[in-house]
Amino acid sequence: MGFPGTWMTESESMVYRVVPKCACSSIGQIMFHSDHGRYFDGDIHDSTTGLHKWNQPESQALIEENVKAHKALTFTCVRNPYARVLSSFFDKIAGIQRNGKRYRGNLVPQLMQRYGVDVGSAENGFEFDQIASFRRFLLFARDTIRWRRPMEPDIHWSAMSGHIATFIVNGGRYDQIFFTEKFNEGMQKVLDAAPTPVKLDVNEVPKFNESEGHGPKRAHKVSDYFDDLSRHLVWEIYKKDFQLFKYDFDDPDNKFPKAEVELDEVHAKLGR
């Protein structure tokens, strides 16, 4: 199986297990800059040089050797599950992608037909009932994760613990797991602990959010999207994420974790 979703600097100063919708664009750009003293021109997900990625065949042996010997500082980043699944909906379902098309081609028409999800259009200013459509999307997301139908679960809304677990099960170990909500603090700790060729102050890094501006803005506070049924579905899908990464299930509007991640607990519970 190897280490899918893993990126490593060319200097092998740090290894990062990508978790979608958890500041991965910013992290990738910072890793790139820490080697080359400049940012990648474009979306870092599109880079094919300057950063080792598991999906680049020539990088796989180098990543595997580094990870198994734990030669580099290894980290990942997590995010509040309520905010993350909302972000997935607004980016991947309601939004238009960088190529000017809908995500995964016929996915949105399928959601409209099977689940009654309405996402408006650019012509009508993306006007639609955000709350009703999101709740229907959440039902679809649960179906993909629980029963793998009408499709396999997508990486953008499958649980963070699943992404993070594959790395552990296949022989990796994390040195740091930090929170998107405390990004500058957490990323700076990584940079301070890694022997990077180029030093970087995270506070000076520009904002990299490749999904921004391609669709509707969230019109309500987080808790408005989650009624009792929605919260039940969120718990069914993301129970481990709340428990392991210390987020507040009882208050959807509290985006901050209640405690630090306990690395030993994460390795013990996800390494089985």
Side-chain angles (χ1 to χ4, degrees):
M1 172 113 184
F3 299 98
T6 300
W7 294 354
M8 179 175 74
T9 50
E10 287 190 333
S11 63
E12 302 196 25
S13 60
M14 60 178 109
V15 170
Y16 163 51
R17 200 319 176 181
V18 177
V19 179
K21 307 307 298 174
C22 297
C24 44
S25 294
S26 295
I27 293 170
Q29 286 282 12
I30 288 168
M31 290 174 72
F32 191 96
H33 191 287
S34 77
D35 263 359
H36 307 292
R38 61 181 175 86
Y39 298 109
F40 177 72
D41 184 12
D43 184 341
I44 193 65
H45 293 85
D46 297 335
S47 76
T48 54
T49 59
L51 193 63
H52 289 302
K53 298 177 177 178
W54 186 260
N55 65 359
Q56 297 165 186
E58 65 278 9
S59 295
Q60 290 185 358
L62 289 166
I63 291 173
E64 187 154 11
E65 181 191 357
N66 190 305
V67 170
K68 289 198 167 170
H70 201 167
K71 293 198 292 189
L73 182 130
T74 303
F75 72 98
T76 192
C77 179
V78 294
R79 182 179 185 182
N80 184 295
Y82 284 117
R84 181 171 174 263
V85 72
L86 265 175
S87 176
S88 295
F89 170 73
F90 279 100
D91 176 16
K92 298 301 174 189
I93 306 302
I96 304 297
Q97 303 309 295
R98 293 191 316 279
N99 61 8
K101 299 177 181 176
R102 291 283 186 186
Y103 182 59
R104 295 181 73 149
N106 68 348
L107 175 59
V108 170
Q110 192 179 15
L111 278 173
M112 294 168 81
Q113 185 181 351
R114 292 193 183 196
Y115 289 84
V117 172
D118 173 28
V119 293
S121 65
E123 288 73 32
N124 75 351
F126 295 107
E127 285 291 323
F128 63 98
D129 186 333
Q130 292 187 357
I131 291 172
S133 284
F134 169 73
R135 290 174 181 172
R136 290 167 180 167
F137 160 75
L138 193 61
L139 192 60
F140 159 76
R142 190 282 306 267
D143 290 350
T144 66
I145 288 163
R146 183 80 183 270
W147 293 292
R148 300 189 173 275
R149 66 171 192 258
M151 58 179 272
E152 290 286 310
D154 186 274
I155 60 171
H156 296 91
W157 55 77
S158 53
M160 296 181 292
S161 51
H163 293 291
I164 288 168
T166 59
F167 188 84
I168 299 170
V169 167
N170 292 324
R173 187 169 182 86
Y174 296 100
D175 299 301
Q176 297 188 32
I177 297 177
F178 67 89
F179 305 109
T180 303
E181 295 79 13
K182 299 179 180 180
F183 181 80
N184 285 17
E185 176 190 331
M187 190 71 230
Q188 194 65 57
K189 280 185 185 171
V190 169
L191 291 170
D192 290 347
T196 58
V198 179
K199 295 302 168 194
L200 190 62
D201 180 348
V202 175
N203 293 308
E204 296 173 359
V205 174
K207 187 172 169 58
F208 295 101
N209 184 352
E210 303 301 344
S211 61
E212 194 150 340
H214 297 293
K217 290 269 189 287
R218 180 159 60 83
H220 310 279
K221 65 181 182 178
V222 172
S223 58
D224 289 344
Y225 292 88
F226 297 93
D227 59 0
D228 287 347
L229 174 60
S230 305
R231 291 180 60 190
H232 175 82
L233 294 174
V234 164
W235 185 248
E236 185 179 337
I237 302 169
Y238 303 119
K239 178 181 177 181
K240 270 189 184 174
D241 289 355
F242 283 104
Q243 293 173 331
L244 285 175
F245 308 125
K246 315 299 183 185
Y247 284 105
D248 188 349
F249 173 73
D250 295 320
D251 182 4
D253 289 322
N254 176 21
K255 68 178 183 178
F256 290 105
K258 298 192 287 185
E260 291 300 309
V261 174
E262 295 172 23
L263 287 171
D264 287 343
E265 180 189 16
V266 170
H267 288 104
K269 290 187 174 171
L270 296 185
R272 293 170 183 163

